[in-house]
Amino acid sequence: MIRCLAIDDEPLALQQIVAYIGKVPFLELAAQCQSALEARQFLEQDTVDAIFCDINMPDLNGMDFIKSLTVPPLVVFTTAYSEYAVEGFRVNAVDYLLKPFGLQDFQRAANRLKERLTPSPLSPHPSDISPQTSALSPQPSALKDDTIFLKTEYRIVKVSISDIRYVEAMSEYLKVYLEGDAKPIVTLLSMKKMEERLPENFMRIHRSYIVNLNMIQEVNKNRIIMDADTYLPIGDMYKDTFQQYLDTKFLGK
């Protein structure tokens, strides 16, 4: 069981979080608090595995409260203000739920908590890592930032750029298809803005499609084949640019 602390200064919002915790079999409510100060007093006497925490609260806001903890538990922020999202992930938040959110969104956040708290069977024990191996391993702070944040429904999600297979334009929205996920992320964003943010291994091949060049399986006439079920057209305006890319990679006569 994952012991949880729920914090929100709004009684109805707090009641909702408590109810949702009760609906998830692997979550256990340890306490509910209506302020960060009350939560701090509780944590001085007890411990939890995770915190569902509102941000915009009087006296001490949720962000500053989490930052003040010496060894903070895993945290899921719940708030009506999307501008806190990036700062939330900087303090290593597991998820960020934008109010109003439903049980399905809450369940996804709970599943992420479970994943973070369940050790991978393939992960080596610290005692099995030699000093030499540890010294040669890249430190998190040294790794290149490969992430973007996308607003979808009532949530802001963190996406690894390297996991993006392709992007499809749909009126004012984009569908972002990720490796390993059957369902795309739908976000209100322009193709131009997405194209400007993606690195050089992404190319626009049609007014409605941007593809990850590293994930192309086959090129057949005027179509790009991503997998057995996904065929993307190459638009007339983009043929020359795509052909130039192919020429740099092509081996043979």
Side-chain angles (χ1 to χ4, degrees):
M1 295 292 284
I2 300 174
R3 283 172 48 82
C4 302
L5 174 62
I7 312 169
D8 202 306
D9 65 311
E10 298 178 6
L12 290 179
L14 182 59
Q15 183 179 347
Q16 181 192 49
I17 295 172
V18 169
Y20 284 167
I21 289 174
K23 292 178 183 294
V24 180
F26 54 82
L27 297 185
E28 176 187 357
L29 180 67
Q32 53 181 299
C33 302
Q34 287 191 260
S35 72
L37 297 178
E38 183 183 346
R40 177 179 285 170
Q41 291 177 354
F42 171 81
L43 291 177
E44 289 174 354
Q45 307 296 326
D46 206 340
T47 60
V48 295
D49 302 307
I51 298 177
F52 290 89
C53 185
D54 186 27
I55 293 179
N56 193 27
M57 295 186 291
D59 298 326
L60 179 63
N61 73 45
M63 193 72 67
D64 291 337
F65 166 64
I66 297 299
K67 289 178 181 178
S68 73
L69 299 177
T70 305
V71 184
L74 296 180
V75 61
V76 174
F77 284 117
T78 62
T79 183
Y81 300 93
S82 60
E83 60 265 28
Y84 290 110
V86 174
E87 188 178 359
F89 283 109
R90 282 176 182 163
V91 298
N92 204 28
V94 173
D95 211 338
Y96 186 102
L97 296 175
L98 277 177
K99 299 176 181 178
F101 54 86
L103 179 59
Q104 186 177 6
D105 297 313
F106 186 89
Q107 178 73 62
R108 280 197 293 263
N111 289 339
R112 290 186 176 186
L113 285 173
K114 186 177 182 181
E115 289 172 4
R116 291 279 290 270
L117 289 169
T118 303
S120 169
L122 298 178
S123 299
H125 189 276
S127 62
D128 296 331
I129 303 176
S130 67
Q132 182 179 5
T133 302
S134 178
L136 294 175
S137 300
Q139 298 302 309
S141 59
L143 296 177
K144 182 180 179 181
D145 184 13
D146 181 45
T147 58
I148 55 175
F149 296 92
L150 298 175
K151 182 177 180 181
T152 177
E153 297 174 339
Y154 301 116
R155 306 167 62 243
I156 291 181
V157 296
K158 186 178 183 181
V159 174
S160 293
I161 293 175
S162 58
D163 287 340
I164 298 176
R165 299 179 64 235
Y166 66 96
V167 179
E168 179 184 3
M170 183 182 63
S171 186
E172 297 179 347
Y173 291 82
L174 298 182
K175 289 182 178 179
V176 181
Y177 291 83
L178 303 178
E179 183 74 8
D181 288 346
K183 185 178 178 182
I185 294 174
V186 180
T187 185
L188 180 61
L189 194 65
S190 70
M191 283 288 271
K192 185 176 184 297
K193 188 140 188 179
M194 176 62 82
E195 193 175 9
E196 290 172 349
R197 178 62 182 85
L198 294 174
E200 60 184 10
N201 60 297
F202 285 82
M203 180 179 291
R204 190 163 184 176
I205 59 159
H206 188 277
R207 66 178 183 174
S208 299
Y209 294 101
I210 298 173
V211 299
N212 184 339
L213 298 171
N214 295 334
M215 294 193 180
I216 294 175
Q217 290 190 3
E218 186 178 332
V219 180
N220 188 333
K221 297 182 179 179
N222 292 325
R223 297 186 304 175
I224 287 176
I225 301 174
M226 304 298 289
D227 55 49
D229 301 313
T230 307
Y231 296 73
L232 306 181
I234 303 172
D236 291 339
M237 290 179 55
Y238 305 90
K239 283 181 181 178
D240 291 344
T241 303
F242 184 70
Q243 186 61 50
Q244 289 172 14
Y245 163 75
L246 283 184
D247 290 343
T248 65
K249 300 292 183 180
F250 187 72
L251 294 180
K253 297 181 179 180

